[in-house]
Amino acid sequence: MKNEIQQALEALNNGGLILYPTDTVWGIGCDATNPEAVKKVYELKQREDSKALICLVSDIRMLEKFIFEVPEVAYQLIEATDKPTTIIYDKPINIADNLIAPDRTLAVRVASDEFCQRMIRQFKRPLVSTSANISGRPTPQSYSEINPEILKGVDYVVNLHRDKKCNKPSTIIKIGNNGVFKIIRK
């Protein structure tokens, strides 16, 4: 795992894209603070940049560095949930502008996968995490289902968990700074 983290970090630090197993599905990732890297993700996925992408952070402390105000209910939700849950927050800060949704929100998940946590902790910045598919096509359930275009379009492919069937995508909940929340995807 240590070698895989080092290889991935090298690509990320050079503004590159990685393909990696997450706590949900195989993901395309990049430095969430680097607008040029984020642009490459949109291009590879052939996705409109008005459609927001999810970010992963290693822990609550990192979340607090990139969201102006984390609502109290979000802390409770993160602690209580036993499945991967992405929360859409108001007022992201210190993040690439082209990653922020038109309504000035950002979708963030605290990673539960050990590899992701360790890699992101060492990277010291959030990581874009979007499914490893061309926009509009099905999300691959395993490494073997990933489109060759995606494989060729990244700078590094993590060599872990390639035989694992992926879980379904995370639950997505939008929480406003007023505490009001809405389930977007179960």
Side-chain angles (χ1 to χ4, degrees), residues 12-23:
L12 293 167
N13 282 319
N14 289 320
L17 306 185
I18 64 169
L19 181 65
Y20 66 111
T22 74
D23 46 0

Side-chain angles (χ1 to χ4, degrees), residues 11-100:
L12 293 167
N13 282 319
N14 289 320
L17 306 185
I18 64 169
L19 181 65
Y20 66 111
T22 74
D23 46 0
T24 56
V25 299
W26 273 85
I28 300 168
C30 74
D31 179 351
T33 66
N34 180 334
E36 288 303 313
V38 172
K39 182 179 177 188
K40 291 180 196 175
V41 172
Y42 281 114
E43 289 169 354
L44 180 58
K45 285 188 63 82
Q46 300 170 25
R47 182 175 175 152
E48 295 175 34
D49 62 8
S50 62
K51 290 184 143 193
L53 300 172
I54 292 172
C55 291
L56 293 182
V57 293
S58 58
D59 52 39
I60 299 272
R61 284 189 316 255
M62 184 179 283
L63 173 68
E64 292 170 339
K65 291 178 184 174
F66 294 92
I67 300 299
F68 182 73
E69 179 185 351
V70 179
E72 188 58 39
V73 68
Y75 292 109
Q76 295 166 4
L77 191 59
I78 292 167
E79 289 295 318
T81 189
D82 59 350
K83 66 184 249 177
T85 301
T86 300
I87 300 175
I88 300 172
Y89 297 93
D90 291 336
K91 296 185 183 174
I93 54 174
N94 307 318
I95 209 84
D97 282 341
N98 56 343
L99 195 54
I100 300 171

Side-chain angles (χ1 to χ4, degrees), residues 26 132-133 138-148 151 162 165:
W26 273 85
N133 61 315
T139 299
Q141 298 301 301
S142 65
Y143 176 81
S144 63
E145 295 177 14
I146 296 172
N147 184 310
L151 293 170
R162 290 192 179 181
K165 279 283 198 190

